[in-house]
Amino acid sequence: MSWYFQEYIHNPFGASEAKARQMEDSFRLLGRAMFNAVFRSSEEASGYYTAASTEGLANYTLSIVSDDPSFLTLPWELLNEPNAGYLALRFSSLVRQVNRQPSEFHGALPTEQLNVLLVSPAPLGPYATSGLAWEAMEVLDSLEVHAALDCIRPPTLAVLSQHLSDTRNYYHLVLLDGFPCDATGSLLFESADGGGEPAPAAKVSEALAGAGVPIVMLTAASTPDVDLPPGWAAAATILASNGVPQVVSLPFPLPSPGGQLFLQSFFRAIAQGAGAPQAVAQARQALMDEPSRYSPAGEVVFWDWIVAQVYQSQRYTPAPIVPPDSPKTGFSALPTADATQSEDQILQGGVYGLVGRRSELRHLERLFSQAPVVLLSGPTGVGKTELALGLARWSSRTRARPGGVFYSSFDVRAGVERIVHEVGTTIAGTGLCRHAGCRAAPLAGRVPSAKTHRCLYWTGWKNVSGFPTPGPRSAGRGRTVRAGTAS
């Protein structure tokens, strides 16, 4: 299964395609054998299933109860019988329980917006990076209700624990995204210096449960040529056993557009008042309804609907998020002279935006934590502007720069006055234009404190080879402009 979910989609040619079809046939046979072992093993078991079928499987939840991670991690989603088909799509939900009688979660959480906390480490070293962070950002922004995505920076256990301690009973879900996991179930966070630092799952669950977080989504880092570590199931089991009510485990990556389809259905269901088991059931159906995934050979049918697993220690039914009275508005950004762009959007680089650059984004964040200016340089067309735009969108939507993110291009005629005008009027209002022709000197005295973590992104910097007299220093009376740039 590790080969199918981690390697086949990247090389679906020749022998690999034939092997994948054989494996899918094996999935069907395995699911039928598991069904016979469970529901045809005795008259009592058969009677239970017959009664549930008569009343309607959709009225029942199928619970797999055990404290053995190796038993819980079996692919129960493959259970199928000739008449009903795959039972994971027929029951109202399928859950793995660490106790026979789960209690109720009674935490009171906000209902005016869906609050999600993202922890997405990309430690330095030979660690694979993947996950659903970017898809989560895009999906949450597209929901009909207000949603907030906060991101832990730096993604260390210490910072996460402190942040959760300061925001109790606030987050509806914490997304532990792209985590490597060792054989004991320890999760690999970043260390203070950017390296990897394993943390026992029990310690992570202590911080989560103490903050009243009802749902945790745990997604694995892609590790080609490596079988799923036995500790992955242990990590999900330990999180649930130590106080996290519901854990959604994704032990394998969801190839595009599967990740977005899954999260779209999942978050919409959560916002409408469904618990994690029911939300995953809806997301699973969405994946099966649209099974084609992108690959080097074009679109291929892929069985990623069986990937998601739900571990439960407490029942939780969230209160629906109240839709806003007025239409949602996006985040603030500036239009540019060389592109058609609404004022509530930052340009998207490329047709699909930024894809597969998680490590680079994390590296840029580290650089900005060390210095106020970052210069990207390289030949034309290697992706400097798209990477900068990706970081701009990421920083804005995860609220890394609460003072604003501003994008300007020097690919067309642009002087310091235009930059001062765009940034200054956005921050200080249109009244700024009445002062000295919007030059740099009035900006310093009339814009609120620069300690609000703003960021400027300048592209086409290669075109800035000099300024006509008077230059930027005489216009700004000795002041210079600092910015993050894309060359």
Side-chain angles (χ1 to χ4, degrees), residues 370-413:
Q370 300 165 11
V373 179
V374 174
L375 177 67
L376 298 177
S377 64
T380 300
V382 298
K384 301 180 298 299
T385 296
E386 291 193 13
L387 180 59
L389 284 171
L391 182 62
R393 292 167 64 84
W394 175 256
S395 299
S396 180
R397 293 193 180 183
T398 58
R399 302 196 281 191
R401 301 286 176 173
V405 174
F406 305 96
Y407 168 76
S408 297
S409 173
F410 290 92
D411 288 332
V412 295
R413 180 178 178 83

Side-chain angles (χ1 to χ4, degrees), residues 303-322:
W303 283 44
D304 51 3
W305 60 269
I306 70 175
V307 168
Q309 304 172 352
V310 180
Y311 292 75
Q312 178 176 262
S313 61
Q314 300 177 51
R315 288 184 291 268
Y316 167 60
T317 303
I321 303 299
V322 180

Side-chain angles (χ1 to χ4, degrees), residues 3 29 55 148 150 183 196 202 242 261 282 285 330 335 349 354 369 386 393 427 434 475:
W3 173 86
L29 296 175
E55 296 181 28
D150 295 330
N242 286 270
L261 285 171
Q282 294 185 33
Q285 186 65 61
L354 195 66
S369 70
E386 291 193 13
R393 292 167 64 84
I427 297 174
R434 295 194 296 268

Side-chain angles (χ1 to χ4, degrees), residues 420 432 435-436 438-447 472 474-479:
V420 170
L432 182 74
H435 299 279
C438 291
R439 289 186 179 274
L443 181 66
R446 299 186 176 274
V447 172
S474 61
R477 296 174 187 167
R479 296 179 176 88

